[in-house]
Amino acid sequence: MAKKRHSPLPGFGLTLGFALFYLSVIVLIPLGALALRTSSLGWQEFWRLATTDRAIASYRLTFGASFIAAGINALFGTLLAWVLTRYEFPGRRLLDALVDFPFALPTAVAGLTLADLFEPNGWLGTWLVPLGIHGSYTRLGVILALTFTGLPFVVRTIQPVLENLERELEEAAATLGAGRARTFLTVVAPLMLPSLLTGFALSFGRAIGEYGSVVFISGNLPYKTEIAPYLIVMRLEEYNYGGAMVLAVVLLSISFVLLALINWLERWASRFQR
Amino acid sequence: MAGAPTRKRMARAEKSQRGSEESPLIKWTLILLAVLFCGIFLLLPLVNVFAQAFSKGVEHYWSALKHPESLAAIRLTLLVAVISVPLNVIFGLAAAWAIAKFEFPGKPLLLTLIDLPFSVSPIVAGLIFILLFGMQGYFGEWLIDRNIFIVFALPGIVLATVFITFPFVARELIPLMQAQGSDQEQAALTLGASGWQTFWYVTLPSVKWGLLYGVILCNSRAMGEFGAVSVVSGHIAGKTDTMPLRIEKLYNEYQGAAAFAVASLLALLALLTLFLKAYLEWKQQRNEGS
């Protein structure tokens, strides 16, 4: 910890100064403007705009669908991370690369192609719609889109943890007579849990703010398939700036709480791994 | 690389008598499930993009791309990326230099603030610039009086894109430069190099792969951003429509194949991004190995 306070390298003032200036202009001042303008509304008006029926319906869908999508991702993300780190099979590298695909694909393209797949005459819709599973223009569609965009978060958070897991622990458990299922549940699962929770929270956080992939598939029906970010856009188009700002502040606050939670989870996890 | 560990693992599995390996049945069931899930949920949407883009024939595909409004959208998307990515590269280099090479109070806070745009919804990112520069915004009247257009014009689209892609380069560079320390730079300075020379000939070459990685991710997001740009663009056909916005417009006009044609370009960009990412990771691994 005895690092020298004064590094002999030049450029501290210039680089920090520029970084702070740029950060302020691009991020801090615009976000500050949102806070300032919203605070001028006053509490009563804020509460009224934040709790309109339509807003509450949109929160319900946004948080509910995000939660379910993050849950699906936690399940399949764990499966994928496990298969990718533990097994050798033909096509493993391709599968590994494919996991990043939702990160790389622009959300509008993701929304467009998912909407098309689940339409009654789409590749998946042809099979699913006769079974009564309607993917497009429904809440299920919202969940599908959010699952797609959030998947890499869980896989990429769990994968390094599984890679660094000491196999000796499992072998010790096996030597002591534990079956494979019991070893997994009592030895591996607890070690994976912090990263699984972090991945869940990251996926959930991404889903709350997600817009592009959802608007194509959901149909955006007020009270039914309208997510909160879409309602912000609607308010803006009505020139209802107050309504838009209030919803934005609600979304932002929840994102920040999640961010704090993720930071805390990561610190908790790193204490485990030492 | 794949040969040696596999043999070692197999030997170990035999020794522990399958104690720490699942039975083949479970193993292959899990693999099959994973492959099926990825096939249906990840690969199928990708294949569908190209299948739908060419569903009305190659002729229609090209004419959809050659439509003046599509061409304008492609040009605008490239222009926005060409402006936004270098801005974030300069910021990333400056922030990484200050954070990795110096000690100062408030560093953890600065790191958190750099990550902040990742947790802001794209729609909110667009909204904040409307609140500043829009008609009813803080600077709205001032800007109108001077005939300066930010919202519903190129500057607004660039601002929103820069906000969304803000952390990408900095996040790649900071840990890399922190890990490398500043011994080499100090040696260069002792030998009489100037600050800029040290940066150009010592620091930059040692982080070039990380920088390239950050640039690729930043560019991919910049070209594909939809939500934030959609709020500030104003959707003026041929003028402020980027490629993702053009896709939405075509889709809403029931021109599915044309929408997919434009989308196929962005899907290609995504594939190229993934390929370069895998290549750079492989390169980095090899560098660490040698």
PDB file of all heavy atoms in Angstrom, chain A residues 9-10 12 15 22 26 37 82 86-87 100 113 116 167 180 209 255, chain B residues 9 20 22 45 48 88 97 102 119 121 136 138 162-163 189 277:
ATOM      1  N   LEU A   9       5.415  10.074 -13.772  1.00  0.00           N
ATOM      2  CA  LEU A   9       4.877  10.186 -15.130  1.00  0.00           C
ATOM      3  C   LEU A   9       4.157  11.509 -15.315  1.00  0.00           C
ATOM      4  O   LEU A   9       3.540  12.019 -14.394  1.00  0.00           O
ATOM      5  CB  LEU A   9       3.899   9.046 -15.406  1.00  0.00           C
ATOM      6  CG  LEU A   9       4.463   7.640 -15.398  1.00  0.00           C
ATOM      7  CD1 LEU A   9       3.355   6.651 -15.686  1.00  0.00           C
ATOM      8  CD2 LEU A   9       5.574   7.496 -16.417  1.00  0.00           C
ATOM      9  N   PRO A  10       4.220  12.053 -16.520  1.00  0.00           N
ATOM     10  CA  PRO A  10       3.510  13.314 -16.765  1.00  0.00           C
ATOM     11  C   PRO A  10       2.063  13.059 -17.187  1.00  0.00           C
ATOM     12  O   PRO A  10       1.656  11.916 -17.382  1.00  0.00           O
ATOM     13  CB  PRO A  10       4.299  13.907 -17.931  1.00  0.00           C
ATOM     14  CG  PRO A  10       4.788  12.710 -18.688  1.00  0.00           C
ATOM     15  CD  PRO A  10       4.990  11.595 -17.681  1.00  0.00           C
ATOM     16  N   PHE A  12      -0.904  13.802 -15.678  1.00  0.00           N
ATOM     17  CA  PHE A  12      -1.992  13.506 -14.762  1.00  0.00           C
ATOM     18  C   PHE A  12      -3.101  14.548 -14.878  1.00  0.00           C
ATOM     19  O   PHE A  12      -4.265  14.210 -15.063  1.00  0.00           O
ATOM     20  CB  PHE A  12      -1.459  13.440 -13.323  1.00  0.00           C
ATOM     21  CG  PHE A  12      -2.536  13.226 -12.304  1.00  0.00           C
ATOM     22  CD1 PHE A  12      -3.266  12.052 -12.303  1.00  0.00           C
ATOM     23  CD2 PHE A  12      -2.821  14.198 -11.355  1.00  0.00           C
ATOM     24  CE1 PHE A  12      -4.264  11.848 -11.373  1.00  0.00           C
ATOM     25  CE2 PHE A  12      -3.825  13.995 -10.424  1.00  0.00           C
ATOM     26  CZ  PHE A  12      -4.542  12.826 -10.433  1.00  0.00           C
ATOM     27  N   THR A  15      -4.936  14.338 -18.419  1.00  0.00           N
ATOM     28  CA  THR A  15      -5.813  13.198 -18.677  1.00  0.00           C
ATOM     29  C   THR A  15      -6.990  13.171 -17.711  1.00  0.00           C
ATOM     30  O   THR A  15      -8.116  12.944 -18.117  1.00  0.00           O
ATOM     31  CB  THR A  15      -5.046  11.870 -18.582  1.00  0.00           C
ATOM     32  OG1 THR A  15      -4.376  11.807 -17.336  1.00  0.00           O
ATOM     33  CG2 THR A  15      -4.054  11.721 -19.715  1.00  0.00           C
ATOM     34  N   TYR A  22     -15.190  15.332 -19.924  1.00  0.00           N
ATOM     35  CA  TYR A  22     -15.969  14.525 -20.861  1.00  0.00           C
ATOM     36  C   TYR A  22     -17.086  13.790 -20.132  1.00  0.00           C
ATOM     37  O   TYR A  22     -18.230  13.755 -20.575  1.00  0.00           O
ATOM     38  CB  TYR A  22     -15.015  13.545 -21.539  1.00  0.00           C
ATOM     39  CG  TYR A  22     -15.556  12.778 -22.712  1.00  0.00           C
ATOM     40  CD1 TYR A  22     -15.678  13.373 -23.951  1.00  0.00           C
ATOM     41  CD2 TYR A  22     -15.894  11.440 -22.579  1.00  0.00           C
ATOM     42  CE1 TYR A  22     -16.141  12.650 -25.044  1.00  0.00           C
ATOM     43  CE2 TYR A  22     -16.354  10.709 -23.660  1.00  0.00           C
ATOM     44  CZ  TYR A  22     -16.486  11.324 -24.890  1.00  0.00           C
ATOM     45  OH  TYR A  22     -16.942  10.609 -25.959  1.00  0.00           O
ATOM     46  N   ILE A  26     -21.024  14.468 -21.025  1.00  0.00           N
ATOM     47  CA  ILE A  26     -21.812  13.401 -21.642  1.00  0.00           C
ATOM     48  C   ILE A  26     -22.771  12.742 -20.657  1.00  0.00           C
ATOM     49  O   ILE A  26     -23.897  12.417 -21.001  1.00  0.00           O
ATOM     50  CB  ILE A  26     -20.881  12.322 -22.250  1.00  0.00           C
ATOM     51  CG1 ILE A  26     -19.956  12.936 -23.290  1.00  0.00           C
ATOM     52  CG2 ILE A  26     -21.681  11.177 -22.854  1.00  0.00           C
ATOM     53  CD1 ILE A  26     -20.622  13.385 -24.560  1.00  0.00           C
ATOM     54  N   ARG A  37     -34.999  18.791 -13.342  1.00  0.00           N
ATOM     55  CA  ARG A  37     -36.315  19.103 -13.906  1.00  0.00           C
ATOM     56  C   ARG A  37     -37.407  18.293 -13.245  1.00  0.00           C
ATOM     57  O   ARG A  37     -38.528  18.763 -13.084  1.00  0.00           O
ATOM     58  CB  ARG A  37     -36.313  18.846 -15.419  1.00  0.00           C
ATOM     59  CG  ARG A  37     -35.660  19.980 -16.149  1.00  0.00           C
ATOM     60  CD  ARG A  37     -36.027  20.013 -17.592  1.00  0.00           C
ATOM     61  NE  ARG A  37     -37.408  20.324 -17.879  1.00  0.00           N
ATOM     62  CZ  ARG A  37     -37.827  20.632 -19.101  1.00  0.00           C
ATOM     63  NH1 ARG A  37     -36.965  20.662 -20.090  1.00  0.00           N
ATOM     64  NH2 ARG A  37     -39.084  20.891 -19.329  1.00  0.00           N
ATOM     65  N   TRP A  82     -22.043 -24.713 -17.648  1.00  0.00           N
ATOM     66  CA  TRP A  82     -21.582 -26.027 -17.196  1.00  0.00           C
ATOM     67  C   TRP A  82     -21.112 -26.873 -18.379  1.00  0.00           C
ATOM     68  O   TRP A  82     -20.014 -27.419 -18.376  1.00  0.00           O
ATOM     69  CB  TRP A  82     -22.727 -26.731 -16.449  1.00  0.00           C
ATOM     70  CG  TRP A  82     -22.360 -28.085 -15.937  1.00  0.00           C
ATOM     71  CD1 TRP A  82     -22.536 -29.277 -16.564  1.00  0.00           C
ATOM     72  CD2 TRP A  82     -21.719 -28.382 -14.696  1.00  0.00           C
ATOM     73  NE1 TRP A  82     -22.060 -30.299 -15.801  1.00  0.00           N
ATOM     74  CE2 TRP A  82     -21.554 -29.775 -14.639  1.00  0.00           C
ATOM     75  CE3 TRP A  82     -21.276 -27.588 -13.625  1.00  0.00           C
ATOM     76  CZ2 TRP A  82     -20.968 -30.414 -13.549  1.00  0.00           C
ATOM     77  CZ3 TRP A  82     -20.694 -28.229 -12.540  1.00  0.00           C
ATOM     78  CH2 TRP A  82     -20.549 -29.621 -12.517  1.00  0.00           C
ATOM     79  N   ARG A  86     -17.228 -27.941 -18.749  1.00  0.00           N
ATOM     80  CA  ARG A  86     -16.929 -29.279 -18.252  1.00  0.00           C
ATOM     81  C   ARG A  86     -16.759 -30.330 -19.333  1.00  0.00           C
ATOM     82  O   ARG A  86     -16.084 -31.330 -19.113  1.00  0.00           O
ATOM     83  CB  ARG A  86     -18.050 -29.730 -17.291  1.00  0.00           C
ATOM     84  CG  ARG A  86     -18.009 -29.035 -15.944  1.00  0.00           C
ATOM     85  CD  ARG A  86     -16.668 -29.243 -15.300  1.00  0.00           C
ATOM     86  NE  ARG A  86     -16.504 -28.474 -14.091  1.00  0.00           N
ATOM     87  CZ  ARG A  86     -16.677 -28.961 -12.868  1.00  0.00           C
ATOM     88  NH1 ARG A  86     -17.062 -30.196 -12.707  1.00  0.00           N
ATOM     89  NH2 ARG A  86     -16.467 -28.193 -11.826  1.00  0.00           N
ATOM     90  N   TYR A  87     -17.395 -30.133 -20.470  1.00  0.00           N
ATOM     91  CA  TYR A  87     -17.401 -31.217 -21.446  1.00  0.00           C
ATOM     92  C   TYR A  87     -16.668 -30.836 -22.719  1.00  0.00           C
ATOM     93  O   TYR A  87     -16.663 -29.685 -23.128  1.00  0.00           O
ATOM     94  CB  TYR A  87     -18.843 -31.616 -21.809  1.00  0.00           C
ATOM     95  CG  TYR A  87     -19.688 -31.985 -20.630  1.00  0.00           C
ATOM     96  CD1 TYR A  87     -21.014 -31.565 -20.543  1.00  0.00           C
ATOM     97  CD2 TYR A  87     -19.165 -32.745 -19.584  1.00  0.00           C
ATOM     98  CE1 TYR A  87     -21.791 -31.894 -19.459  1.00  0.00           C
ATOM     99  CE2 TYR A  87     -19.940 -33.073 -18.492  1.00  0.00           C
ATOM    100  CZ  TYR A  87     -21.253 -32.647 -18.427  1.00  0.00           C
ATOM    101  OH  TYR A  87     -22.014 -32.968 -17.344  1.00  0.00           O
ATOM    102  N   ASP A 100     -22.260 -15.237 -27.221  1.00  0.00           N
ATOM    103  CA  ASP A 100     -22.109 -13.782 -27.270  1.00  0.00           C
ATOM    104  C   ASP A 100     -22.985 -13.124 -28.327  1.00  0.00           C
ATOM    105  O   ASP A 100     -23.030 -11.902 -28.418  1.00  0.00           O
ATOM    106  CB  ASP A 100     -20.651 -13.418 -27.566  1.00  0.00           C
ATOM    107  CG  ASP A 100     -19.824 -13.415 -26.300  1.00  0.00           C
ATOM    108  OD1 ASP A 100     -20.395 -13.135 -25.237  1.00  0.00           O
ATOM    109  OD2 ASP A 100     -18.624 -13.706 -26.376  1.00  0.00           O
ATOM    110  N   THR A 113     -36.272 -10.218 -35.954  1.00  0.00           N
ATOM    111  CA  THR A 113     -36.223 -11.632 -36.314  1.00  0.00           C
ATOM    112  C   THR A 113     -37.009 -12.487 -35.325  1.00  0.00           C
ATOM    113  O   THR A 113     -37.684 -13.443 -35.721  1.00  0.00           O
ATOM    114  CB  THR A 113     -34.768 -12.120 -36.500  1.00  0.00           C
ATOM    115  OG1 THR A 113     -34.777 -13.490 -36.862  1.00  0.00           O
ATOM    116  CG2 THR A 113     -33.943 -11.931 -35.267  1.00  0.00           C
ATOM    117  N   ASP A 116     -40.655 -12.175 -36.129  1.00  0.00           N
ATOM    118  CA  ASP A 116     -40.985 -12.929 -37.338  1.00  0.00           C
ATOM    119  C   ASP A 116     -41.038 -14.436 -37.073  1.00  0.00           C
ATOM    120  O   ASP A 116     -41.901 -15.140 -37.606  1.00  0.00           O
ATOM    121  CB  ASP A 116     -39.936 -12.623 -38.412  1.00  0.00           C
ATOM    122  CG  ASP A 116     -40.289 -13.271 -39.741  1.00  0.00           C
ATOM    123  OD1 ASP A 116     -41.185 -12.738 -40.404  1.00  0.00           O
ATOM    124  OD2 ASP A 116     -39.698 -14.309 -40.071  1.00  0.00           O
ATOM    125  N   ARG A 167     -11.298 -28.935  -9.003  1.00  0.00           N
ATOM    126  CA  ARG A 167     -11.928 -30.242  -9.178  1.00  0.00           C
ATOM    127  C   ARG A 167     -11.658 -31.150  -7.974  1.00  0.00           C
ATOM    128  O   ARG A 167     -12.406 -32.081  -7.699  1.00  0.00           O
ATOM    129  CB  ARG A 167     -11.411 -30.924 -10.457  1.00  0.00           C
ATOM    130  CG  ARG A 167     -11.843 -30.249 -11.743  1.00  0.00           C
ATOM    131  CD  ARG A 167     -13.341 -30.241 -11.930  1.00  0.00           C
ATOM    132  NE  ARG A 167     -13.884 -31.544 -12.272  1.00  0.00           N
ATOM    133  CZ  ARG A 167     -14.085 -31.962 -13.499  1.00  0.00           C
ATOM    134  NH1 ARG A 167     -13.795 -31.197 -14.504  1.00  0.00           N
ATOM    135  NH2 ARG A 167     -14.581 -33.162 -13.731  1.00  0.00           N
ATOM    136  N   ARG A 180     -22.977 -38.121  -7.187  1.00  0.00           N
ATOM    137  CA  ARG A 180     -22.730 -36.977  -8.053  1.00  0.00           C
ATOM    138  C   ARG A 180     -23.727 -35.843  -7.784  1.00  0.00           C
ATOM    139  O   ARG A 180     -23.357 -34.675  -7.724  1.00  0.00           O
ATOM    140  CB  ARG A 180     -22.822 -37.435  -9.510  1.00  0.00           C
ATOM    141  CG  ARG A 180     -22.330 -36.433 -10.500  1.00  0.00           C
ATOM    142  CD  ARG A 180     -20.852 -36.142 -10.325  1.00  0.00           C
ATOM    143  NE  ARG A 180     -20.487 -34.919 -11.031  1.00  0.00           N
ATOM    144  CZ  ARG A 180     -19.667 -33.997 -10.558  1.00  0.00           C
ATOM    145  NH1 ARG A 180     -19.123 -34.143  -9.371  1.00  0.00           N
ATOM    146  NH2 ARG A 180     -19.380 -32.932 -11.259  1.00  0.00           N
ATOM    147  N   GLY A 209     -34.321  -2.063 -18.733  1.00  0.00           N
ATOM    148  CA  GLY A 209     -34.156  -0.921 -19.612  1.00  0.00           C
ATOM    149  C   GLY A 209     -34.336  -1.252 -21.081  1.00  0.00           C
ATOM    150  O   GLY A 209     -34.365  -0.373 -21.918  1.00  0.00           O
ATOM    151  N   SER A 255     -32.586   0.936 -11.446  1.00  0.00           N
ATOM    152  CA  SER A 255     -31.309   0.494 -12.009  1.00  0.00           C
ATOM    153  C   SER A 255     -30.165   0.747 -11.024  1.00  0.00           C
ATOM    154  O   SER A 255     -29.271  -0.080 -10.869  1.00  0.00           O
ATOM    155  CB  SER A 255     -30.999   1.247 -13.294  1.00  0.00           C
ATOM    156  OG  SER A 255     -32.006   1.058 -14.220  1.00  0.00           O
TER     157      SER A 255
ATOM    158  N   ARG B   9      -7.506 -35.169 -18.367  1.00  0.00           N
ATOM    159  CA  ARG B   9      -8.789 -35.257 -17.688  1.00  0.00           C
ATOM    160  C   ARG B   9      -9.330 -36.684 -17.752  1.00  0.00           C
ATOM    161  O   ARG B   9      -9.903 -37.197 -16.796  1.00  0.00           O
ATOM    162  CB  ARG B   9      -9.780 -34.281 -18.315  1.00  0.00           C
ATOM    163  CG  ARG B   9     -11.024 -34.108 -17.487  1.00  0.00           C
ATOM    164  CD  ARG B   9     -11.992 -33.193 -18.161  1.00  0.00           C
ATOM    165  NE  ARG B   9     -11.471 -31.827 -18.260  1.00  0.00           N
ATOM    166  CZ  ARG B   9     -12.090 -30.881 -18.950  1.00  0.00           C
ATOM    167  NH1 ARG B   9     -13.191 -31.143 -19.574  1.00  0.00           N
ATOM    168  NH2 ARG B   9     -11.593 -29.680 -19.003  1.00  0.00           N
ATOM    169  N   SER B  20     -16.060 -37.789 -10.069  1.00  0.00           N
ATOM    170  CA  SER B  20     -16.339 -36.374 -10.271  1.00  0.00           C
ATOM    171  C   SER B  20     -16.771 -36.108 -11.709  1.00  0.00           C
ATOM    172  O   SER B  20     -16.634 -35.022 -12.214  1.00  0.00           O
ATOM    173  CB  SER B  20     -15.123 -35.519  -9.915  1.00  0.00           C
ATOM    174  OG  SER B  20     -14.060 -35.823 -10.769  1.00  0.00           O
ATOM    175  N   GLU B  22     -20.120 -36.866 -14.460  1.00  0.00           N
ATOM    176  CA  GLU B  22     -21.463 -37.396 -14.559  1.00  0.00           C
ATOM    177  C   GLU B  22     -21.433 -38.646 -15.436  1.00  0.00           C
ATOM    178  O   GLU B  22     -20.501 -38.848 -16.212  1.00  0.00           O
ATOM    179  CB  GLU B  22     -22.398 -36.365 -15.180  1.00  0.00           C
ATOM    180  CG  GLU B  22     -22.677 -35.185 -14.291  1.00  0.00           C
ATOM    181  CD  GLU B  22     -21.511 -34.231 -14.270  1.00  0.00           C
ATOM    182  OE1 GLU B  22     -20.818 -34.105 -15.287  1.00  0.00           O
ATOM    183  OE2 GLU B  22     -21.258 -33.649 -13.211  1.00  0.00           O
ATOM    184  N   PRO B  45     -32.751 -17.493 -34.962  1.00  0.00           N
ATOM    185  CA  PRO B  45     -32.985 -16.089 -35.285  1.00  0.00           C
ATOM    186  C   PRO B  45     -31.971 -15.532 -36.274  1.00  0.00           C
ATOM    187  O   PRO B  45     -32.318 -14.734 -37.150  1.00  0.00           O
ATOM    188  CB  PRO B  45     -32.840 -15.388 -33.924  1.00  0.00           C
ATOM    189  CG  PRO B  45     -33.179 -16.426 -32.928  1.00  0.00           C
ATOM    190  CD  PRO B  45     -32.686 -17.721 -33.506  1.00  0.00           C
ATOM    191  N   ASN B  48     -32.710 -16.928 -39.692  1.00  0.00           N
ATOM    192  CA  ASN B  48     -33.964 -16.334 -40.151  1.00  0.00           C
ATOM    193  C   ASN B  48     -33.752 -14.957 -40.780  1.00  0.00           C
ATOM    194  O   ASN B  48     -34.432 -14.605 -41.751  1.00  0.00           O
ATOM    195  CB  ASN B  48     -34.944 -16.235 -38.963  1.00  0.00           C
ATOM    196  CG  ASN B  48     -36.327 -15.852 -39.409  1.00  0.00           C
ATOM    197  OD1 ASN B  48     -36.874 -16.426 -40.337  1.00  0.00           O
ATOM    198  ND2 ASN B  48     -36.892 -14.850 -38.742  1.00  0.00           N
ATOM    199  N   ASN B  88     -14.862   8.318 -27.908  1.00  0.00           N
ATOM    200  CA  ASN B  88     -14.777   7.432 -26.746  1.00  0.00           C
ATOM    201  C   ASN B  88     -13.404   6.789 -26.616  1.00  0.00           C
ATOM    202  O   ASN B  88     -13.005   6.411 -25.516  1.00  0.00           O
ATOM    203  CB  ASN B  88     -15.873   6.369 -26.816  1.00  0.00           C
ATOM    204  CG  ASN B  88     -17.205   6.919 -26.360  1.00  0.00           C
ATOM    205  OD1 ASN B  88     -17.239   7.921 -25.649  1.00  0.00           O
ATOM    206  ND2 ASN B  88     -18.283   6.279 -26.763  1.00  0.00           N
ATOM    207  N   TRP B  97      -5.218   6.259 -18.519  1.00  0.00           N
ATOM    208  CA  TRP B  97      -3.905   6.797 -18.128  1.00  0.00           C
ATOM    209  C   TRP B  97      -3.984   7.374 -16.719  1.00  0.00           C
ATOM    210  O   TRP B  97      -3.159   7.051 -15.855  1.00  0.00           O
ATOM    211  CB  TRP B  97      -3.458   7.860 -19.136  1.00  0.00           C
ATOM    212  CG  TRP B  97      -2.121   8.465 -18.849  1.00  0.00           C
ATOM    213  CD1 TRP B  97      -1.867   9.575 -18.104  1.00  0.00           C
ATOM    214  CD2 TRP B  97      -0.835   7.978 -19.289  1.00  0.00           C
ATOM    215  NE1 TRP B  97      -0.527   9.827 -18.054  1.00  0.00           N
ATOM    216  CE2 TRP B  97       0.140   8.863 -18.773  1.00  0.00           C
ATOM    217  CE3 TRP B  97      -0.422   6.896 -20.067  1.00  0.00           C
ATOM    218  CZ2 TRP B  97       1.504   8.690 -19.007  1.00  0.00           C
ATOM    219  CZ3 TRP B  97       0.949   6.743 -20.304  1.00  0.00           C
ATOM    220  CH2 TRP B  97       1.899   7.622 -19.772  1.00  0.00           C
ATOM    221  N   PHE B 102      -1.785   6.700 -11.827  1.00  0.00           N
ATOM    222  CA  PHE B 102      -1.705   7.635 -10.705  1.00  0.00           C
ATOM    223  C   PHE B 102      -2.631   7.216  -9.573  1.00  0.00           C
ATOM    224  O   PHE B 102      -3.602   6.500  -9.802  1.00  0.00           O
ATOM    225  CB  PHE B 102      -2.078   9.062 -11.145  1.00  0.00           C
ATOM    226  CG  PHE B 102      -1.199   9.598 -12.224  1.00  0.00           C
ATOM    227  CD1 PHE B 102      -1.551   9.450 -13.560  1.00  0.00           C
ATOM    228  CD2 PHE B 102      -0.004  10.231 -11.930  1.00  0.00           C
ATOM    229  CE1 PHE B 102      -0.742   9.918 -14.578  1.00  0.00           C
ATOM    230  CE2 PHE B 102       0.819  10.706 -12.932  1.00  0.00           C
ATOM    231  CZ  PHE B 102       0.453  10.554 -14.264  1.00  0.00           C
ATOM    232  N   SER B 119     -25.985   1.039 -17.013  1.00  0.00           N
ATOM    233  CA  SER B 119     -27.200   0.694 -16.281  1.00  0.00           C
ATOM    234  C   SER B 119     -28.319   1.697 -16.527  1.00  0.00           C
ATOM    235  O   SER B 119     -29.309   1.712 -15.814  1.00  0.00           O
ATOM    236  CB  SER B 119     -26.906   0.556 -14.785  1.00  0.00           C
ATOM    237  OG  SER B 119     -26.199   1.658 -14.330  1.00  0.00           O
ATOM    238  N   SER B 121     -31.251   2.908 -19.048  1.00  0.00           N
ATOM    239  CA  SER B 121     -32.031   2.447 -20.201  1.00  0.00           C
ATOM    240  C   SER B 121     -31.767   3.343 -21.410  1.00  0.00           C
ATOM    241  O   SER B 121     -31.664   4.558 -21.271  1.00  0.00           O
ATOM    242  CB  SER B 121     -33.519   2.484 -19.853  1.00  0.00           C
ATOM    243  OG  SER B 121     -34.285   2.311 -21.018  1.00  0.00           O
ATOM    244  N   GLN B 136     -38.346  22.342 -25.429  1.00  0.00           N
ATOM    245  CA  GLN B 136     -38.655  22.801 -24.072  1.00  0.00           C
ATOM    246  C   GLN B 136     -37.486  22.557 -23.135  1.00  0.00           C
ATOM    247  O   GLN B 136     -37.621  22.613 -21.934  1.00  0.00           O
ATOM    248  CB  GLN B 136     -39.878  22.059 -23.536  1.00  0.00           C
ATOM    249  CG  GLN B 136     -41.107  22.268 -24.382  1.00  0.00           C
ATOM    250  CD  GLN B 136     -42.285  21.468 -23.876  1.00  0.00           C
ATOM    251  OE1 GLN B 136     -42.307  21.024 -22.737  1.00  0.00           O
ATOM    252  NE2 GLN B 136     -43.277  21.289 -24.719  1.00  0.00           N
ATOM    253  N   TYR B 138     -33.477  22.952 -21.457  1.00  0.00           N
ATOM    254  CA  TYR B 138     -32.777  24.063 -20.819  1.00  0.00           C
ATOM    255  C   TYR B 138     -32.149  25.008 -21.835  1.00  0.00           C
ATOM    256  O   TYR B 138     -32.168  26.213 -21.705  1.00  0.00           O
ATOM    257  CB  TYR B 138     -31.689  23.525 -19.886  1.00  0.00           C
ATOM    258  CG  TYR B 138     -32.236  23.055 -18.560  1.00  0.00           C
ATOM    259  CD1 TYR B 138     -32.210  21.721 -18.195  1.00  0.00           C
ATOM    260  CD2 TYR B 138     -32.787  23.979 -17.671  1.00  0.00           C
ATOM    261  CE1 TYR B 138     -32.722  21.297 -16.979  1.00  0.00           C
ATOM    262  CE2 TYR B 138     -33.301  23.568 -16.452  1.00  0.00           C
ATOM    263  CZ  TYR B 138     -33.265  22.230 -16.116  1.00  0.00           C
ATOM    264  OH  TYR B 138     -33.782  21.821 -14.918  1.00  0.00           O
ATOM    265  N   VAL B 162     -22.779   8.364 -28.150  1.00  0.00           N
ATOM    266  CA  VAL B 162     -21.590   8.468 -27.305  1.00  0.00           C
ATOM    267  C   VAL B 162     -21.937   8.078 -25.862  1.00  0.00           C
ATOM    268  O   VAL B 162     -21.188   7.363 -25.200  1.00  0.00           O
ATOM    269  CB  VAL B 162     -21.007   9.897 -27.366  1.00  0.00           C
ATOM    270  CG1 VAL B 162     -20.015  10.130 -26.245  1.00  0.00           C
ATOM    271  CG2 VAL B 162     -20.334  10.126 -28.707  1.00  0.00           C
ATOM    272  N   PHE B 163     -23.095   8.523 -25.394  1.00  0.00           N
ATOM    273  CA  PHE B 163     -23.511   8.175 -24.033  1.00  0.00           C
ATOM    274  C   PHE B 163     -23.628   6.664 -23.882  1.00  0.00           C
ATOM    275  O   PHE B 163     -23.115   6.075 -22.939  1.00  0.00           O
ATOM    276  CB  PHE B 163     -24.859   8.839 -23.726  1.00  0.00           C
ATOM    277  CG  PHE B 163     -25.372   8.552 -22.328  1.00  0.00           C
ATOM    278  CD1 PHE B 163     -25.178   9.462 -21.304  1.00  0.00           C
ATOM    279  CD2 PHE B 163     -26.052   7.369 -22.051  1.00  0.00           C
ATOM    280  CE1 PHE B 163     -25.640   9.202 -20.027  1.00  0.00           C
ATOM    281  CE2 PHE B 163     -26.521   7.105 -20.774  1.00  0.00           C
ATOM    282  CZ  PHE B 163     -26.318   8.021 -19.762  1.00  0.00           C
ATOM    283  N   LEU B 189      11.090   7.376 -19.672  1.00  0.00           N
ATOM    284  CA  LEU B 189      11.280   8.773 -19.272  1.00  0.00           C
ATOM    285  C   LEU B 189      12.706   9.002 -18.790  1.00  0.00           C
ATOM    286  O   LEU B 189      13.324  10.016 -19.096  1.00  0.00           O
ATOM    287  CB  LEU B 189      10.284   9.142 -18.171  1.00  0.00           C
ATOM    288  CG  LEU B 189       8.841   9.337 -18.625  1.00  0.00           C
ATOM    289  CD1 LEU B 189       7.919   9.436 -17.434  1.00  0.00           C
ATOM    290  CD2 LEU B 189       8.717  10.579 -19.491  1.00  0.00           C
ATOM    291  N   LYS B 277     -13.672 -10.695 -32.151  1.00  0.00           N
ATOM    292  CA  LYS B 277     -13.560 -10.844 -30.699  1.00  0.00           C
ATOM    293  C   LYS B 277     -12.884 -12.170 -30.369  1.00  0.00           C
ATOM    294  O   LYS B 277     -11.954 -12.226 -29.571  1.00  0.00           O
ATOM    295  CB  LYS B 277     -14.964 -10.787 -30.102  1.00  0.00           C
ATOM    296  CG  LYS B 277     -15.025 -10.795 -28.611  1.00  0.00           C
ATOM    297  CD  LYS B 277     -16.444 -10.507 -28.161  1.00  0.00           C
ATOM    298  CE  LYS B 277     -16.603 -10.722 -26.679  1.00  0.00           C
ATOM    299  NZ  LYS B 277     -16.682 -12.117 -26.304  1.00  0.00           N
TER     300      LYS B 277
END
